[in-house]
């Protein structure tokens, strides 16, 4: 079944109305949303089938469904991520003196949700909202390492693209790398996604302990040494710990 833009907007209005006025029946919701009772019932039925609202008997009143709660929890979590990211990225970036960013996983990709640019003429450039394949580069490998097993299995069962000579494409190598990341709590990439670029990434955890994002540093290989890599790694790990603590995570 297809819906017009108007029908979708009306359905969203009904969804927000249910969120604001829990326990109302179809007559009240129709009046509040400017729909006829018949149209409101059809739209509510669609929302119910999608899990966004649920009808409670015997009074036939409506409240939010489990999928709406998932959206709400994710929105709250991501808004917290953005707020904390904006608070700490500059300090972490200044400590590293390199560009730093925050990525989250979306399916088999990662998305940049926050970014701080280093004050160098030559630096790594990116944009908010840019997507990259999961499992490639420091943040991609880290978010894959902490992803559910079914996500890891899906990625490893697909085609593994080679971006540079150093991109990991052998499944045995990737599994070994993921195990190492979990053991060490940090992910390092040297020219795996982009030639002559290095990156370091550490996990950001929420109050439940789940890894919800990666905090990463990126820099040209020409500007990094073994000594600076060690300092950058320590700074990123400290920054990720501060980030996690701000989200409510308490280390054991």
């Amino acid at each position: 079944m297809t819906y017009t833009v108007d029908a979708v907007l009306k359905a969203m209005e009904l969804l927000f109305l249910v969120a604001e006025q829990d326990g109302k029946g179809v007559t009240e919701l129709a009046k509040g949303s400017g729909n006829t009772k018949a149209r409101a019932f059809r739209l509510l039925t669609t929302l119910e089938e999608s899990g966004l609202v649920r009808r409670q008997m015997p009074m036939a009143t409506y409240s939010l469904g489990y999928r709406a709660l998932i959206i709400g929890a994710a929105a709250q979590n991501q808004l917290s991520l953005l707020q904390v990211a904006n608070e700490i990225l500059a300090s972490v970036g200044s400590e590293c003196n390199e560009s730093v960013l925050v990525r989250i996983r979306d399916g088999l990709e990662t998305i940049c949700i926050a970014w701080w640019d280093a004050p160098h003429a030559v630096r790594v450039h990116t944009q908010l909202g840019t997507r990259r394949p999961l499992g490639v580069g420091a943040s991609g490998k880290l978010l894959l390492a902490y992803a559910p097993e079914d996500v890891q299995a899906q990625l490893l069962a697909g085609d593994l693209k080679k971006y540079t000579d150093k991109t990991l494409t052998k499944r045995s190598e990737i599994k070994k790398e993921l195990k190492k990341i979990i053991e060490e709590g940090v992910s390092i990439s040297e020219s795996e996604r982009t030639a002559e670029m290095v990156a370091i990434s550490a996990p950001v955890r929420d109050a439940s302990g789940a890894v919800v994002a990666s905090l990463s540093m990126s820099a040209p290989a020409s500007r990094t040494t073994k000594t600076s890599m060690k300092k950058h790694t320590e700074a990123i790990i400290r920054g990720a710990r501060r980030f996690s603590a701000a989200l409510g995570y308490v280390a054991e």
Side-chain angles (χ1 to χ4, degrees):
M1 182 181 295
T2 58
Y3 289 91
T4 63
V5 173
D6 180 64
V8 172
L9 292 174
K10 289 292 185 181
M12 291 300 98
E13 288 175 8
L14 270 173
L15 180 62
F16 288 125
L17 195 59
V18 170
E20 295 167 358
Q21 301 181 23
D22 180 37
K24 300 294 184 181
V26 66
T27 300
E28 295 168 297
L29 291 171
K31 184 178 179 180
S33 62
N35 288 295
T36 64
K37 186 175 179 179
R39 190 182 194 192
F41 181 75
R42 288 197 303 272
L43 293 173
L44 286 166
T45 299
T46 299
L47 291 171
E48 184 180 8
E49 290 172 350
S50 69
L52 290 170
V53 303
R54 63 191 181 99
R55 184 169 52 164
Q56 299 172 293
M57 302 303 289
M59 301 301 292
T61 57
Y62 291 86
S63 61
L64 292 178
Y66 73 97
R67 293 189 76 183
L69 297 178
I70 292 172
I71 293 172
Q76 182 178 24
N77 192 31
Q78 291 186 26
L79 287 171
S80 296
L81 277 173
L82 288 171
Q83 181 179 1
V84 176
N86 290 330
E87 292 172 355
I88 75 163
L89 278 183
S91 64
V92 176
S94 296
E95 186 176 357
C96 294
N97 199 28
E98 296 292 353
S99 297
V100 290
L101 66 153
V102 177
R103 284 187 172 273
I104 60 172
R105 182 180 68 83
D106 181 31
L108 297 181
E109 295 180 312
T110 68
I111 305 174
C112 177
I113 64 166
W115 175 265
W116 183 86
D117 252 336
H120 295 294
V122 179
R123 61 185 185 270
V124 181
H125 294 278
T126 193
Q127 291 181 335
L128 295 179
T130 55
R131 291 176 174 266
R132 287 196 170 185
L134 187 65
V136 180
S139 57
K141 291 189 300 183
L142 183 127
L143 291 173
L144 177 61
Y146 289 99
E149 290 185 2
D150 61 324
V151 173
Q152 294 183 5
Q154 183 182 355
L155 184 137
L156 293 173
D159 295 329
L160 301 174
K161 183 177 178 180
K162 198 169 186 68
Y163 294 89
T164 72
D165 292 340
K166 294 188 177 181
T167 305
L168 300 180
T169 55
K170 292 184 179 179
R171 287 160 180 78
S172 58
E173 291 179 346
I174 295 175
K175 289 180 179 179
K176 183 178 179 180
E177 180 75 357
L178 299 184
K179 182 180 179 181
K180 180 182 178 183
I181 290 169
I182 295 295
E183 291 173 348
E184 298 182 355
V186 67
S187 174
I188 296 175
S189 167
E190 297 184 22
S191 301
E192 293 179 16
R193 175 64 176 79
T194 305
E196 301 304 317
M197 290 292 176
V198 299
I200 304 163
S201 185
V204 175
R205 300 176 183 273
D206 65 9
S208 72
V211 173
V212 293
S214 66
L215 176 64
S216 307
M217 179 230 59
S218 300
S222 60
R223 202 162 55 229
T224 57
T225 63
K226 287 186 178 180
T227 300
S228 64
M229 283 291 285
K230 184 176 185 297
K231 291 181 179 179
H232 294 333
T233 300
E234 292 171 350
I236 289 297
I237 291 174
R238 284 195 301 270
R241 287 173 179 169
R242 293 204 309 272
F243 203 151
S244 299
L247 292 176
Y249 175 65
V250 178
E252 296 180 357

